[in-house]
Amino acid sequence: MSSDDHSNPTTLLDVARAAGVSASTVSRIMNGTARVAEDKRKAVLAAIEKMQFAPNQMARSLKKGSTMTIGIVVQDISSPFFDETLRGVDDALKGTGYTSVIVSGHWNADEESDRIRLLLARKVDGIILLTGRISDETVLHFANQRPIVATGRSLRTSNAIGFKVDNEHGAWLATRHLLDLGHRRIVFITGPASSSDANERLAGYRRAMAEAGEAVDPQLVVEGDFHEPSGLAAVNRLLERDVRFTAVFAANDLSAYGARLALYRKGIRVPQDVSLVGFDDLPGSSYTAPPMTTVRQPLYDLGKAATNALLSLMGREAFDEGVAPVELVVRETTQAAQ
């Protein structure tokens, strides 16, 4: 069949016949997911060109060795934390011709690695890894195959860039704020022990307490996992054990939301009875009742910066490395200790 026959345009099946492969193989090659012999791949590309089949972005990109897609690995697609960062990624991609493929690692190192392998099999041009559990060594291993930009890490090689906020300083700011208000019995709800962000925030809390000459009561450091139910459970455990405290600092906003609910259910007023501080400054934290004091991470800016860095690694223009520092945002959930 000739491509000049406009009444019968070339089909994917025609290309498959001309190349001597199955139609599904053609489709998979065009989607960048096939692992086929190089001679078959060349035969398909030759048939596409000869028959002028699918003269679109995918076909042009395939011949150039690019799919014009980037892979993004998040940990929880439903989390507003990642939603705000993805908004920055999306805005940075506007006008570039690139589209994104988003997958979730579910805070599991093995699953993260599997998802990255899946993206590599799809021939994405680069990968953005938003936090996660895999080691820096594993990130660098994957970066040998495609450029990677990762948040929550300090990396800098020819094919990998990391962006890291100062979690320790942010937690110090939050704890210092509570100490300045006269609080001494300050609860810290941790994040997961396997998270470097969580451990750095715990270190910031401990440093501020030590600088103020305050010993940390082990009962006041309560395990959490960055999700609302863990904040709820942490405060409930403290109340059940009659542990005395006047302030709660949660390792992230979601945990603080859970803590707030636990206090509300027990008739404990915020901030009159207990002050509350979170970490992240998620969009919803401005609209809690009362609006929540928290440490602001530049989540949107981080998404934009990570994307621009990846585009730079993929041969685009140089990027501005600057990301705004963390800062304490004082709202209405903290007041002087009574």
Side-chain angles (χ1 to χ4, degrees):
M1 178 179 291
S2 169
S3 60
D4 294 329
D5 184 352
H6 297 292
S7 62
N8 293 292
T10 301
T11 67
L12 185 140
L13 187 57
D14 296 326
V15 173
R17 286 172 179 158
V21 298
S22 68
S24 63
T25 296
V26 175
S27 177
R28 284 162 48 234
I29 287 175
M30 292 189 67
N31 285 324
T33 59
R35 293 180 180 176
V36 299
E38 186 62 19
D39 58 339
K40 286 187 178 180
R41 182 176 178 277
K42 287 181 178 177
V44 169
L45 290 176
I48 288 172
E49 185 166 4
K50 180 180 179 181
M51 305 176 82
Q52 298 178 24
F53 176 67
N56 55 22
Q57 182 67 60
M58 180 62 78
R60 288 195 298 270
S61 296
L62 189 59
K63 286 185 281 187
K64 290 189 290 186
S66 165
T67 59
M68 295 303 290
T69 58
I70 66 166
I72 305 173
V73 183
V74 302
Q75 300 306 319
D76 182 355
I77 291 174
S78 66
S79 169
F81 175 92
F82 292 106
D83 186 54
E84 189 69 4
T85 311
L86 287 172
R87 200 167 62 82
V89 173
D90 189 55
D91 281 355
L93 286 179
K94 287 178 180 174
T96 66
Y98 282 91
T99 57
S100 59
V101 178
I102 302 171
V103 297
S104 180
H106 298 114
W107 295 110
N108 181 287
D110 291 337
E111 196 165 342
E112 282 174 48
S113 293
D114 288 343
R115 294 298 178 268
I116 292 174
R117 291 188 191 98
L118 172 67
L119 292 170
L120 292 172
R122 290 185 65 87
K123 307 295 184 187
V124 297
D125 297 329
I127 292 172
I128 296 175
L129 174 62
L130 299 179
T131 69
R133 293 283 191 268
I134 60 174
S135 66
D136 287 354
E137 291 75 20
T138 303
V139 172
L140 295 174
H141 167 74
F142 286 127
N144 289 328
Q145 301 172 66
R146 287 290 187 279
I148 292 182
V149 172
T151 63
R153 300 168 189 271
S154 298
L155 296 172
R156 182 52 59 94
T157 72
S158 60
N159 227 26
I161 293 175
F163 285 89
K164 190 169 182 62
V165 301
D166 195 341
N167 289 291
E168 198 264 0
H169 179 63
W172 180 90
L173 288 173
T175 311
R176 183 73 254 174
H177 170 63
L178 292 169
L179 288 164
D180 288 345
L181 289 172
H183 296 280
R184 293 298 178 266
R185 300 284 296 174
I186 302 170
V187 170
F188 182 75
I189 302 175
T190 72
S194 57
S195 165
S196 60
D197 288 354
N199 292 328
E200 289 159 11
R201 292 170 196 178
L202 175 57
Y205 162 79
R206 290 190 181 281
R207 177 165 72 90
M209 294 292 283
E211 288 177 358
E214 296 294 330
V216 175
D217 182 344
Q219 292 186 98
L220 297 180
V221 179
V222 192
E223 184 180 356
D225 66 7
F226 280 164
H227 292 91
E228 297 96 332
S230 73
L232 176 71
V235 171
N236 281 337
R237 285 198 300 274
L238 291 168
L239 296 174
E240 288 165 2
R241 297 169 185 167
D242 292 324
V243 176
R244 184 174 58 84
F245 59 92
T246 64
V248 174
F249 173 29
N252 72 337
D253 282 2
L254 295 181
S255 297
Y257 297 164
R260 175 73 184 87
L261 179 58
L263 295 169
Y264 168 78
R265 285 179 171 169
K266 294 294 185 180
I268 299 171
R269 299 169 301 166
V270 173
Q272 294 91 337
D273 302 322
V274 170
S275 287
L276 177 66
V277 181
F279 197 115
D280 284 336
D281 194 23
L282 298 178
S285 295
S286 298
Y287 298 97
T288 57
M292 192 168 74
T293 297
T294 184
V295 178
R296 174 178 294 156
Q297 281 202 74
L299 300 177
Y300 173 83
D301 293 341
L302 198 60
K304 288 192 74 170
T307 306
N308 289 329
L310 184 64
L311 292 170
S312 176
L313 288 177
M314 297 189 307
R316 295 274 181 140
E317 65 278 353
F319 68 100
D320 178 6
E321 298 186 35
V323 176
V326 294
E327 61 177 315
L328 180 69
V329 180
V330 179
R331 296 195 179 102
E332 298 169 42
T333 56
T334 51
Q335 71 172 38
Q338 299 302 307

